[in-house]
PDB file of all heavy atoms in Angstrom:
ATOM      1  N   TYR A 959      91.672 158.113  70.950  1.00 41.00           N
ATOM      2  CA  TYR A 959      92.282 156.968  70.285  1.00 41.00           C
ATOM      3  C   TYR A 959      93.720 156.794  70.760  1.00 41.00           C
ATOM      4  O   TYR A 959      94.173 155.695  71.020  1.00 41.00           O
ATOM      5  CB  TYR A 959      92.261 157.164  68.767  1.00 41.00           C
ATOM      6  CG  TYR A 959      90.889 157.091  68.173  1.00 41.00           C
ATOM      7  CD1 TYR A 959      90.128 158.241  68.010  1.00 41.00           C
ATOM      8  CD2 TYR A 959      90.339 155.867  67.790  1.00 41.00           C
ATOM      9  CE1 TYR A 959      88.864 158.178  67.471  1.00 41.00           C
ATOM     10  CE2 TYR A 959      89.070 155.794  67.242  1.00 41.00           C
ATOM     11  CZ  TYR A 959      88.335 156.961  67.086  1.00 41.00           C
ATOM     12  OH  TYR A 959      87.081 156.893  66.561  1.00 41.00           O
ATOM     13  N   LEU A 960      94.436 157.921  70.861  1.00 45.00           N
ATOM     14  CA  LEU A 960      95.809 157.864  71.316  1.00 45.00           C
ATOM     15  C   LEU A 960      95.878 157.383  72.753  1.00 45.00           C
ATOM     16  O   LEU A 960      96.740 156.586  73.118  1.00 45.00           O
ATOM     17  CB  LEU A 960      96.456 159.252  71.189  1.00 45.00           C
ATOM     18  CG  LEU A 960      97.917 159.355  71.652  1.00 45.00           C
ATOM     19  CD1 LEU A 960      98.792 158.401  70.830  1.00 45.00           C
ATOM     20  CD2 LEU A 960      98.417 160.787  71.522  1.00 45.00           C
ATOM     21  N   LEU A 961      94.957 157.842  73.596  1.00 47.00           N
ATOM     22  CA  LEU A 961      94.925 157.431  74.993  1.00 47.00           C
ATOM     23  C   LEU A 961      94.670 155.933  75.095  1.00 47.00           C
ATOM     24  O   LEU A 961      95.337 155.229  75.852  1.00 47.00           O
ATOM     25  CB  LEU A 961      93.827 158.199  75.739  1.00 47.00           C
ATOM     26  CG  LEU A 961      93.606 157.778  77.204  1.00 47.00           C
ATOM     27  CD1 LEU A 961      94.869 158.025  78.016  1.00 47.00           C
ATOM     28  CD2 LEU A 961      92.426 158.560  77.792  1.00 47.00           C
ATOM     29  N   GLU A 962      93.714 155.433  74.325  1.00 49.00           N
ATOM     30  CA  GLU A 962      93.396 154.007  74.345  1.00 49.00           C
ATOM     31  C   GLU A 962      94.608 153.169  73.949  1.00 49.00           C
ATOM     32  O   GLU A 962      94.925 152.168  74.579  1.00 49.00           O
ATOM     33  CB  GLU A 962      92.231 153.732  73.386  1.00 49.00           C
ATOM     34  CG  GLU A 962      91.775 152.287  73.331  1.00 49.00           C
ATOM     35  CD  GLU A 962      90.932 151.894  74.515  1.00 49.00           C
ATOM     36  OE1 GLU A 962      90.609 152.776  75.330  1.00 49.00           O
ATOM     37  OE2 GLU A 962      90.607 150.701  74.620  1.00 49.00           O
ATOM     38  N   PHE A 963      95.280 153.591  72.895  1.00 45.00           N
ATOM     39  CA  PHE A 963      96.456 152.853  72.436  1.00 45.00           C
ATOM     40  C   PHE A 963      97.567 152.901  73.471  1.00 45.00           C
ATOM     41  O   PHE A 963      98.234 151.903  73.742  1.00 45.00           O
ATOM     42  CB  PHE A 963      96.947 153.436  71.114  1.00 45.00           C
ATOM     43  CG  PHE A 963      98.254 152.843  70.657  1.00 45.00           C
ATOM     44  CD1 PHE A 963      98.288 151.557  70.131  1.00 45.00           C
ATOM     45  CD2 PHE A 963      99.430 153.557  70.781  1.00 45.00           C
ATOM     46  CE1 PHE A 963      99.485 150.998  69.716  1.00 45.00           C
ATOM     47  CE2 PHE A 963     100.627 153.000  70.380  1.00 45.00           C
ATOM     48  CZ  PHE A 963     100.663 151.731  69.844  1.00 45.00           C
ATOM     49  N   THR A 964      97.786 154.075  74.083  1.00 48.00           N
ATOM     50  CA  THR A 964      98.851 154.232  75.064  1.00 48.00           C
ATOM     51  C   THR A 964      98.629 153.333  76.267  1.00 48.00           C
ATOM     52  O   THR A 964      99.557 152.695  76.765  1.00 48.00           O
ATOM     53  CB  THR A 964      98.939 155.699  75.532  1.00 48.00           C
ATOM     54  OG1 THR A 964      99.168 156.531  74.400  1.00 48.00           O
ATOM     55  CG2 THR A 964     100.064 155.880  76.536  1.00 48.00           C
ATOM     56  N   VAL A 965      97.388 153.273  76.758  1.00 52.00           N
ATOM     57  CA  VAL A 965      97.069 152.422  77.905  1.00 52.00           C
ATOM     58  C   VAL A 965      97.328 150.962  77.553  1.00 52.00           C
ATOM     59  O   VAL A 965      97.926 150.213  78.320  1.00 52.00           O
ATOM     60  CB  VAL A 965      95.598 152.619  78.326  1.00 52.00           C
ATOM     61  CG1 VAL A 965      95.191 151.555  79.352  1.00 52.00           C
ATOM     62  CG2 VAL A 965      95.406 154.023  78.904  1.00 52.00           C
ATOM     63  N   TRP A 966      96.861 150.538  76.372  1.00 51.00           N
ATOM     64  CA  TRP A 966      97.051 149.146  75.938  1.00 51.00           C
ATOM     65  C   TRP A 966      98.526 148.811  75.801  1.00 51.00           C
ATOM     66  O   TRP A 966      99.002 147.781  76.247  1.00 51.00           O
ATOM     67  CB  TRP A 966      96.335 148.947  74.611  1.00 51.00           C
ATOM     68  CG  TRP A 966      96.613 147.622  73.972  1.00 51.00           C
ATOM     69  CD1 TRP A 966      96.068 146.415  74.293  1.00 51.00           C
ATOM     70  CD2 TRP A 966      97.521 147.378  72.885  1.00 51.00           C
ATOM     71  NE1 TRP A 966      96.576 145.431  73.482  1.00 51.00           N
ATOM     72  CE2 TRP A 966      97.461 145.989  72.609  1.00 51.00           C
ATOM     73  CE3 TRP A 966      98.360 148.182  72.129  1.00 51.00           C
ATOM     74  CZ2 TRP A 966      98.230 145.407  71.613  1.00 51.00           C
ATOM     75  CZ3 TRP A 966      99.115 147.598  71.125  1.00 51.00           C
ATOM     76  CH2 TRP A 966      99.045 146.228  70.886  1.00 51.00           C
ATOM     77  N   TRP A 967      99.296 149.710  75.162  1.00 52.00           N
ATOM     78  CA  TRP A 967     100.722 149.494  74.942  1.00 52.00           C
ATOM     79  C   TRP A 967     101.460 149.372  76.266  1.00 52.00           C
ATOM     80  O   TRP A 967     102.285 148.468  76.452  1.00 52.00           O
ATOM     81  CB  TRP A 967     101.268 150.658  74.123  1.00 52.00           C
ATOM     82  CG  TRP A 967     102.719 150.516  73.741  1.00 52.00           C
ATOM     83  CD1 TRP A 967     103.798 151.056  74.349  1.00 52.00           C
ATOM     84  CD2 TRP A 967     103.231 149.767  72.619  1.00 52.00           C
ATOM     85  NE1 TRP A 967     104.948 150.707  73.704  1.00 52.00           N
ATOM     86  CE2 TRP A 967     104.630 149.918  72.648  1.00 52.00           C
ATOM     87  CE3 TRP A 967     102.640 148.998  71.632  1.00 52.00           C
ATOM     88  CZ2 TRP A 967     105.457 149.323  71.700  1.00 52.00           C
ATOM     89  CZ3 TRP A 967     103.457 148.398  70.691  1.00 52.00           C
ATOM     90  CH2 TRP A 967     104.850 148.563  70.732  1.00 52.00           C
ATOM     91  N   HIS A 968     101.162 150.250  77.210  1.00 51.00           N
ATOM     92  CA  HIS A 968     101.824 150.220  78.513  1.00 51.00           C
ATOM     93  C   HIS A 968     101.469 148.930  79.258  1.00 51.00           C
ATOM     94  O   HIS A 968     102.326 148.281  79.855  1.00 51.00           O
ATOM     95  CB  HIS A 968     101.396 151.436  79.344  1.00 51.00           C
ATOM     96  CG  HIS A 968     101.969 151.428  80.733  1.00 51.00           C
ATOM     97  ND1 HIS A 968     103.271 151.792  80.999  1.00 51.00           N
ATOM     98  CD2 HIS A 968     101.425 151.066  81.928  1.00 51.00           C
ATOM     99  CE1 HIS A 968     103.506 151.674  82.303  1.00 51.00           C
ATOM    100  NE2 HIS A 968     102.404 151.245  82.880  1.00 51.00           N
ATOM    101  N   MET A 969     100.215 148.544  79.176  1.00 55.00           N
ATOM    102  CA  MET A 969      99.754 147.354  79.890  1.00 55.00           C
ATOM    103  C   MET A 969     100.469 146.103  79.406  1.00 55.00           C
ATOM    104  O   MET A 969     100.935 145.279  80.190  1.00 55.00           O
ATOM    105  CB  MET A 969      98.243 147.193  79.713  1.00 55.00           C
ATOM    106  CG  MET A 969      97.657 145.977  80.422  1.00 55.00           C
ATOM    107  SD  MET A 969      95.897 145.796  80.056  1.00 55.00           S
ATOM    108  CE  MET A 969      95.248 147.271  80.796  1.00 55.00           C
ATOM    109  N   THR A 970     100.579 145.959  78.109  1.00 57.00           N
ATOM    110  CA  THR A 970     101.133 144.723  77.577  1.00 57.00           C
ATOM    111  C   THR A 970     102.647 144.649  77.690  1.00 57.00           C
ATOM    112  O   THR A 970     103.198 143.570  77.917  1.00 57.00           O
ATOM    113  CB  THR A 970     100.743 144.557  76.099  1.00 57.00           C
ATOM    114  OG1 THR A 970     101.203 145.678  75.363  1.00 57.00           O
ATOM    115  CG2 THR A 970      99.245 144.432  75.940  1.00 57.00           C
ATOM    116  N   LEU A 971     103.319 145.770  77.532  1.00 57.00           N
ATOM    117  CA  LEU A 971     104.781 145.727  77.535  1.00 57.00           C
ATOM    118  C   LEU A 971     105.389 145.860  78.918  1.00 57.00           C
ATOM    119  O   LEU A 971     106.469 145.342  79.165  1.00 57.00           O
ATOM    120  CB  LEU A 971     105.332 146.848  76.633  1.00 57.00           C
ATOM    121  CG  LEU A 971     105.058 146.699  75.138  1.00 57.00           C
ATOM    122  CD1 LEU A 971     105.834 147.761  74.367  1.00 57.00           C
ATOM    123  CD2 LEU A 971     105.458 145.319  74.640  1.00 57.00           C
ATOM    124  N   GLN A 972     104.724 146.539  79.832  1.00 63.00           N
ATOM    125  CA  GLN A 972     105.308 146.821  81.124  1.00 63.00           C
ATOM    126  C   GLN A 972     104.924 145.802  82.204  1.00 63.00           C
ATOM    127  O   GLN A 972     105.672 145.611  83.156  1.00 63.00           O
ATOM    128  CB  GLN A 972     104.895 148.239  81.585  1.00 63.00           C
ATOM    129  CG  GLN A 972     105.305 149.350  80.642  1.00 63.00           C
ATOM    130  CD  GLN A 972     106.808 149.402  80.428  1.00 63.00           C
ATOM    131  OE1 GLN A 972     107.578 149.200  81.361  1.00 63.00           O
ATOM    132  NE2 GLN A 972     107.230 149.662  79.204  1.00 63.00           N
ATOM    133  N   ASP A 973     103.795 145.185  82.094  1.00 75.00           N
ATOM    134  CA  ASP A 973     103.365 144.257  83.136  1.00 75.00           C
ATOM    135  C   ASP A 973     104.042 142.902  82.936  1.00 75.00           C
ATOM    136  O   ASP A 973     103.853 142.257  81.903  1.00 75.00           O
ATOM    137  CB  ASP A 973     101.840 144.083  83.102  1.00 75.00           C
ATOM    138  CG  ASP A 973     101.308 143.470  84.385  1.00 75.00           C
ATOM    139  OD1 ASP A 973     101.912 142.495  84.871  1.00 75.00           O
ATOM    140  OD2 ASP A 973     100.297 143.976  84.897  1.00 75.00           O
ATOM    141  N   PRO A 974     104.835 142.441  83.922  1.00 80.00           N
ATOM    142  CA  PRO A 974     105.551 141.164  83.773  1.00 80.00           C
ATOM    143  C   PRO A 974     104.619 139.958  83.710  1.00 80.00           C
ATOM    144  O   PRO A 974     105.046 138.863  83.338  1.00 80.00           O
ATOM    145  CB  PRO A 974     106.443 141.116  85.020  1.00 80.00           C
ATOM    146  CG  PRO A 974     105.759 141.996  86.011  1.00 80.00           C
ATOM    147  CD  PRO A 974     105.134 143.099  85.205  1.00 80.00           C
ATOM    148  N   ARG A 975     103.356 140.137  84.058  1.00 89.00           N
ATOM    149  CA  ARG A 975     102.406 139.028  84.034  1.00 89.00           C
ATOM    150  C   ARG A 975     101.758 138.829  82.667  1.00 89.00           C
ATOM    151  O   ARG A 975     100.972 137.894  82.491  1.00 89.00           O
ATOM    152  CB  ARG A 975     101.301 139.273  85.078  1.00 89.00           C
ATOM    153  CG  ARG A 975     101.779 139.430  86.514  1.00 89.00           C
ATOM    154  CD  ARG A 975     100.624 139.880  87.394  1.00 89.00           C
ATOM    155  NE  ARG A 975     100.070 141.146  86.916  1.00 89.00           N
ATOM    156  CZ  ARG A 975      98.885 141.647  87.284  1.00 89.00           C
ATOM    157  NH1 ARG A 975      98.124 140.968  88.120  1.00 89.00           N
ATOM    158  NH2 ARG A 975      98.471 142.802  86.799  1.00 89.00           N
ATOM    159  N   TRP A 976     102.087 139.701  81.710  1.00 93.00           N
ATOM    160  CA  TRP A 976     101.410 139.649  80.420  1.00 93.00           C
ATOM    161  C   TRP A 976     101.564 138.288  79.735  1.00 93.00           C
ATOM    162  O   TRP A 976     100.597 137.716  79.233  1.00 93.00           O
ATOM    163  CB  TRP A 976     101.917 140.768  79.518  1.00 93.00           C
ATOM    164  CG  TRP A 976     101.357 140.752  78.127  1.00 93.00           C
ATOM    165  CD1 TRP A 976     102.052 140.564  76.970  1.00 93.00           C
ATOM    166  CD2 TRP A 976      99.987 140.935  77.737  1.00 93.00           C
ATOM    167  NE1 TRP A 976     101.201 140.629  75.879  1.00 93.00           N
ATOM    168  CE2 TRP A 976      99.926 140.850  76.328  1.00 93.00           C
ATOM    169  CE3 TRP A 976      98.810 141.159  78.442  1.00 93.00           C
ATOM    170  CZ2 TRP A 976      98.739 140.977  75.608  1.00 93.00           C
ATOM    171  CZ3 TRP A 976      97.610 141.285  77.738  1.00 93.00           C
ATOM    172  CH2 TRP A 976      97.587 141.196  76.342  1.00 93.00           C
ATOM    173  N   SER A 977     102.784 137.750  79.713  1.00 91.00           N
ATOM    174  CA  SER A 977     103.002 136.451  79.058  1.00 91.00           C
ATOM    175  C   SER A 977     102.186 135.351  79.719  1.00 91.00           C
ATOM    176  O   SER A 977     101.600 134.499  79.041  1.00 91.00           O
ATOM    177  CB  SER A 977     104.495 136.085  79.098  1.00 91.00           C
ATOM    178  OG  SER A 977     105.238 136.905  78.234  1.00 91.00           O
ATOM    179  N   THR A 978     102.137 135.380  81.057  1.00 92.00           N
ATOM    180  CA  THR A 978     101.347 134.387  81.783  1.00 92.00           C
ATOM    181  C   THR A 978      99.867 134.548  81.473  1.00 92.00           C
ATOM    182  O   THR A 978      99.145 133.562  81.267  1.00 92.00           O
ATOM    183  CB  THR A 978     101.573 134.520  83.304  1.00 92.00           C
ATOM    184  OG1 THR A 978     102.954 134.317  83.602  1.00 92.00           O
ATOM    185  CG2 THR A 978     100.746 133.490  84.067  1.00 92.00           C
ATOM    186  N   ALA A 979      99.416 135.789  81.412  1.00 94.00           N
ATOM    187  CA  ALA A 979      98.004 136.048  81.116  1.00 94.00           C
ATOM    188  C   ALA A 979      97.637 135.542  79.730  1.00 94.00           C
ATOM    189  O   ALA A 979      96.578 134.944  79.526  1.00 94.00           O
ATOM    190  CB  ALA A 979      97.709 137.544  81.235  1.00 94.00           C
ATOM    191  N   VAL A 980      98.520 135.762  78.750  1.00 95.00           N
ATOM    192  CA  VAL A 980      98.263 135.285  77.391  1.00 95.00           C
ATOM    193  C   VAL A 980      98.280 133.756  77.362  1.00 95.00           C
ATOM    194  O   VAL A 980      97.469 133.122  76.679  1.00 95.00           O
ATOM    195  CB  VAL A 980      99.301 135.866  76.405  1.00 95.00           C
ATOM    196  CG1 VAL A 980      99.218 135.179  75.051  1.00 95.00           C
ATOM    197  CG2 VAL A 980      99.075 137.370  76.246  1.00 95.00           C
ATOM    198  N   HIS A 981      99.196 133.148  78.108  1.00 94.00           N
ATOM    199  CA  HIS A 981      99.283 131.685  78.178  1.00 94.00           C
ATOM    200  C   HIS A 981      97.961 131.089  78.677  1.00 94.00           C
ATOM    201  O   HIS A 981      97.384 130.206  78.042  1.00 94.00           O
ATOM    202  CB  HIS A 981     100.426 131.284  79.116  1.00 94.00           C
ATOM    203  CG  HIS A 981     100.662 129.811  79.218  1.00 94.00           C
ATOM    204  ND1 HIS A 981     101.803 129.204  78.754  1.00 94.00           N
ATOM    205  CD2 HIS A 981      99.908 128.808  79.750  1.00 94.00           C
ATOM    206  CE1 HIS A 981     101.741 127.908  78.972  1.00 94.00           C
ATOM    207  NE2 HIS A 981     100.594 127.643  79.591  1.00 94.00           N
ATOM    208  N   GLU A 982      97.479 131.600  79.822  1.00 95.00           N
ATOM    209  CA  GLU A 982      96.238 131.063  80.392  1.00 95.00           C
ATOM    210  C   GLU A 982      95.033 131.404  79.506  1.00 95.00           C
ATOM    211  O   GLU A 982      94.108 130.602  79.365  1.00 95.00           O
ATOM    212  CB  GLU A 982      96.031 131.592  81.814  1.00 95.00           C
ATOM    213  CG  GLU A 982      97.155 131.264  82.788  1.00 95.00           C
ATOM    214  CD  GLU A 982      97.484 129.780  82.848  1.00 95.00           C
ATOM    215  OE1 GLU A 982      96.587 128.942  82.626  1.00 95.00           O
ATOM    216  OE2 GLU A 982      98.656 129.452  83.109  1.00 95.00           O
ATOM    217  N   ALA A 983      95.063 132.586  78.907  1.00 96.00           N
ATOM    218  CA  ALA A 983      93.979 132.956  77.984  1.00 96.00           C
ATOM    219  C   ALA A 983      93.956 132.040  76.777  1.00 96.00           C
ATOM    220  O   ALA A 983      92.887 131.703  76.256  1.00 96.00           O
ATOM    221  CB  ALA A 983      94.141 134.416  77.547  1.00 96.00           C
ATOM    222  N   GLY A 984      95.140 131.622  76.323  1.00 95.00           N
ATOM    223  CA  GLY A 984      95.207 130.686  75.212  1.00 95.00           C
ATOM    224  C   GLY A 984      94.485 129.384  75.522  1.00 95.00           C
ATOM    225  O   GLY A 984      93.718 128.860  74.703  1.00 95.00           O
ATOM    226  N   HIS A 985      94.719 128.862  76.727  1.00 96.00           N
ATOM    227  CA  HIS A 985      94.007 127.651  77.163  1.00 96.00           C
ATOM    228  C   HIS A 985      92.490 127.878  77.130  1.00 96.00           C
ATOM    229  O   HIS A 985      91.729 127.065  76.600  1.00 96.00           O
ATOM    230  CB  HIS A 985      94.395 127.297  78.600  1.00 96.00           C
ATOM    231  CG  HIS A 985      95.775 126.752  78.771  1.00 96.00           C
ATOM    232  ND1 HIS A 985      96.298 125.748  77.991  1.00 96.00           N
ATOM    233  CD2 HIS A 985      96.744 127.060  79.680  1.00 96.00           C
ATOM    234  CE1 HIS A 985      97.525 125.464  78.398  1.00 96.00           C
ATOM    235  NE2 HIS A 985      97.819 126.255  79.407  1.00 96.00           N
ATOM    236  N   ALA A 986      92.070 128.977  77.757  1.00 96.00           N
ATOM    237  CA  ALA A 986      90.641 129.230  77.932  1.00 96.00           C
ATOM    238  C   ALA A 986      89.920 129.476  76.605  1.00 96.00           C
ATOM    239  O   ALA A 986      88.801 129.004  76.394  1.00 96.00           O
ATOM    240  CB  ALA A 986      90.425 130.422  78.870  1.00 96.00           C
ATOM    241  N   VAL A 987      90.552 130.221  75.707  1.00 96.00           N
ATOM    242  CA  VAL A 987      89.922 130.508  74.419  1.00 96.00           C
ATOM    243  C   VAL A 987      89.858 129.247  73.558  1.00 96.00           C
ATOM    244  O   VAL A 987      88.864 129.012  72.863  1.00 96.00           O
ATOM    245  CB  VAL A 987      90.662 131.651  73.692  1.00 96.00           C
ATOM    246  CG1 VAL A 987      90.163 131.794  72.260  1.00 96.00           C
ATOM    247  CG2 VAL A 987      90.462 132.966  74.456  1.00 96.00           C
ATOM    248  N   ALA A 988      90.897 128.427  73.612  1.00 96.00           N
ATOM    249  CA  ALA A 988      90.855 127.163  72.889  1.00 96.00           C
ATOM    250  C   ALA A 988      89.716 126.293  73.420  1.00 96.00           C
ATOM    251  O   ALA A 988      89.000 125.640  72.649  1.00 96.00           O
ATOM    252  CB  ALA A 988      92.184 126.423  73.027  1.00 96.00           C
ATOM    253  N   ALA A 989      89.530 126.302  74.732  1.00 95.00           N
ATOM    254  CA  ALA A 989      88.422 125.541  75.318  1.00 95.00           C
ATOM    255  C   ALA A 989      87.087 126.061  74.807  1.00 95.00           C
ATOM    256  O   ALA A 989      86.185 125.282  74.474  1.00 95.00           O
ATOM    257  CB  ALA A 989      88.484 125.629  76.844  1.00 95.00           C
ATOM    258  N   ARG A 990      86.958 127.367  74.734  1.00 94.00           N
ATOM    259  CA  ARG A 990      85.718 127.975  74.220  1.00 94.00           C
ATOM    260  C   ARG A 990      85.500 127.565  72.757  1.00 94.00           C
ATOM    261  O   ARG A 990      84.391 127.172  72.363  1.00 94.00           O
ATOM    262  CB  ARG A 990      85.806 129.497  74.351  1.00 94.00           C
ATOM    263  CG  ARG A 990      84.766 130.319  73.596  1.00 94.00           C
ATOM    264  CD  ARG A 990      83.419 130.365  74.285  1.00 94.00           C
ATOM    265  NE  ARG A 990      82.545 131.298  73.581  1.00 94.00           N
ATOM    266  CZ  ARG A 990      82.285 132.552  73.974  1.00 94.00           C
ATOM    267  NH1 ARG A 990      82.817 133.012  75.101  1.00 94.00           N
ATOM    268  NH2 ARG A 990      81.485 133.330  73.284  1.00 94.00           N
ATOM    269  N   ALA A 991      86.552 127.645  71.954  1.00 94.00           N
ATOM    270  CA  ALA A 991      86.441 127.301  70.536  1.00 94.00           C
ATOM    271  C   ALA A 991      86.102 125.829  70.329  1.00 94.00           C
ATOM    272  O   ALA A 991      85.395 125.467  69.396  1.00 94.00           O
ATOM    273  CB  ALA A 991      87.746 127.640  69.818  1.00 94.00           C
ATOM    274  N   LEU A 992      86.594 124.994  71.231  1.00 94.00           N
ATOM    275  CA  LEU A 992      86.378 123.550  71.123  1.00 94.00           C
ATOM    276  C   LEU A 992      85.214 123.065  71.989  1.00 94.00           C
ATOM    277  O   LEU A 992      85.028 121.872  72.181  1.00 94.00           O
ATOM    278  CB  LEU A 992      87.665 122.808  71.517  1.00 94.00           C
ATOM    279  CG  LEU A 992      88.859 123.084  70.603  1.00 94.00           C
ATOM    280  CD1 LEU A 992      90.137 122.519  71.200  1.00 94.00           C
ATOM    281  CD2 LEU A 992      88.622 122.511  69.216  1.00 94.00           C
ATOM    282  N   ARG A 993      84.463 124.018  72.528  1.00 91.00           N
ATOM    283  CA  ARG A 993      83.246 123.727  73.293  1.00 91.00           C
ATOM    284  C   ARG A 993      83.497 122.895  74.544  1.00 91.00           C
ATOM    285  O   ARG A 993      82.797 121.925  74.835  1.00 91.00           O
ATOM    286  CB  ARG A 993      82.218 123.037  72.394  1.00 91.00           C
ATOM    287  CG  ARG A 993      81.827 123.881  71.188  1.00 91.00           C
ATOM    288  CD  ARG A 993      80.792 123.193  70.338  1.00 91.00           C
ATOM    289  NE  ARG A 993      80.436 124.002  69.183  1.00 91.00           N
ATOM    290  CZ  ARG A 993      79.520 123.654  68.288  1.00 91.00           C
ATOM    291  NH1 ARG A 993      78.874 122.515  68.427  1.00 91.00           N
ATOM    292  NH2 ARG A 993      79.250 124.443  67.268  1.00 91.00           N
ATOM    293  N   ARG A 994      84.508 123.304  75.303  1.00 91.00           N
ATOM    294  CA  ARG A 994      84.812 122.669  76.584  1.00 91.00           C
ATOM    295  C   ARG A 994      84.619 123.718  77.663  1.00 91.00           C
ATOM    296  O   ARG A 994      85.159 124.819  77.590  1.00 91.00           O
ATOM    297  CB  ARG A 994      86.253 122.153  76.584  1.00 91.00           C
ATOM    298  CG  ARG A 994      86.745 121.608  77.908  1.00 91.00           C
ATOM    299  CD  ARG A 994      86.360 120.165  78.111  1.00 91.00           C
ATOM    300  NE  ARG A 994      86.761 119.702  79.434  1.00 91.00           N
ATOM    301  CZ  ARG A 994      87.954 119.219  79.734  1.00 91.00           C
ATOM    302  NH1 ARG A 994      88.895 119.134  78.797  1.00 91.00           N
ATOM    303  NH2 ARG A 994      88.222 118.806  80.960  1.00 91.00           N
ATOM    304  N   GLY A 995      83.854 123.394  78.690  1.00 89.00           N
ATOM    305  CA  GLY A 995      83.551 124.362  79.738  1.00 89.00           C
ATOM    306  C   GLY A 995      84.758 124.716  80.591  1.00 89.00           C
ATOM    307  O   GLY A 995      85.588 123.863  80.901  1.00 89.00           O
ATOM    308  N   VAL A 996      84.868 125.982  80.972  1.00 93.00           N
ATOM    309  CA  VAL A 996      85.924 126.469  81.856  1.00 93.00           C
ATOM    310  C   VAL A 996      85.283 126.944  83.152  1.00 93.00           C
ATOM    311  O   VAL A 996      84.356 127.752  83.122  1.00 93.00           O
ATOM    312  CB  VAL A 996      86.713 127.619  81.201  1.00 93.00           C
ATOM    313  CG1 VAL A 996      87.626 128.288  82.212  1.00 93.00           C
ATOM    314  CG2 VAL A 996      87.523 127.102  80.028  1.00 93.00           C
ATOM    315  N   ARG A 997      85.783 126.466  84.267  1.00 92.00           N
ATOM    316  CA  ARG A 997      85.222 126.846  85.557  1.00 92.00           C
ATOM    317  C   ARG A 997      85.831 128.144  86.079  1.00 92.00           C
ATOM    318  O   ARG A 997      85.152 128.975  86.675  1.00 92.00           O
ATOM    319  CB  ARG A 997      85.442 125.722  86.566  1.00 92.00           C
ATOM    320  CG  ARG A 997      84.728 125.932  87.891  1.00 92.00           C
ATOM    321  CD  ARG A 997      84.672 124.633  88.680  1.00 92.00           C
ATOM    322  NE  ARG A 997      86.018 124.079  88.879  1.00 92.00           N
ATOM    323  CZ  ARG A 997      86.245 122.865  89.388  1.00 92.00           C
ATOM    324  NH1 ARG A 997      85.237 122.089  89.699  1.00 92.00           N
ATOM    325  NH2 ARG A 997      87.477 122.450  89.559  1.00 92.00           N
ATOM    326  N   SER A 998      87.147 128.324  85.853  1.00 94.00           N
ATOM    327  CA  SER A 998      87.821 129.554  86.275  1.00 94.00           C
ATOM    328  C   SER A 998      89.156 129.686  85.553  1.00 94.00           C
ATOM    329  O   SER A 998      89.705 128.701  85.059  1.00 94.00           O
ATOM    330  CB  SER A 998      88.054 129.563  87.793  1.00 94.00           C
ATOM    331  OG  SER A 998      88.936 128.516  88.178  1.00 94.00           O
ATOM    332  N   VAL A 999      89.654 130.939  85.512  1.00 95.00           N
ATOM    333  CA  VAL A 999      90.961 131.237  84.913  1.00 95.00           C
ATOM    334  C   VAL A 999      91.702 132.137  85.883  1.00 95.00           C
ATOM    335  O   VAL A 999      91.121 133.091  86.414  1.00 95.00           O
ATOM    336  CB  VAL A 999      90.823 131.953  83.549  1.00 95.00           C
ATOM    337  CG1 VAL A 999      92.189 132.122  82.903  1.00 95.00           C
ATOM    338  CG2 VAL A 999      89.877 131.204  82.624  1.00 95.00           C
ATOM    339  N   SER A1000      92.981 131.851  86.126  1.00 94.00           N
ATOM    340  CA  SER A1000      93.720 132.639  87.110  1.00 94.00           C
ATOM    341  C   SER A1000      95.178 132.804  86.702  1.00 94.00           C
ATOM    342  O   SER A1000      95.776 131.908  86.098  1.00 94.00           O
ATOM    343  CB  SER A1000      93.656 131.953  88.480  1.00 94.00           C
ATOM    344  OG  SER A1000      94.434 132.660  89.438  1.00 94.00           O
TER     345      SER A1000
END
């Protein structure tokens, strides 16, 4: 459990792309919730 949390914590706080990843994921998940097809996410 500690290992899982440590990996997640390091990934989100240390990777400078995290904010961008969350931004694009926000688009894609909203599309899923609103039943709009997504061809790709990058």
Side-chain angles (χ1 to χ4, degrees):
Y959 291 92
L960 179 60
L961 175 62
E962 181 77 6
F963 173 74
T964 302
V965 170
W966 172 79
W967 184 262
H968 176 78
M969 180 184 296
T970 58
L971 292 188
Q972 301 301 321
D973 197 315
R975 301 171 301 165
W976 176 244
S977 289
T978 300
V980 169
H981 183 113
E982 301 306 330
H985 288 312
V987 170
R990 167 78 173 259
L992 297 170
R993 301 181 180 182
R994 174 85 184 274
V996 169
R997 188 164 56 189
S998 64
V999 185
S1000 177

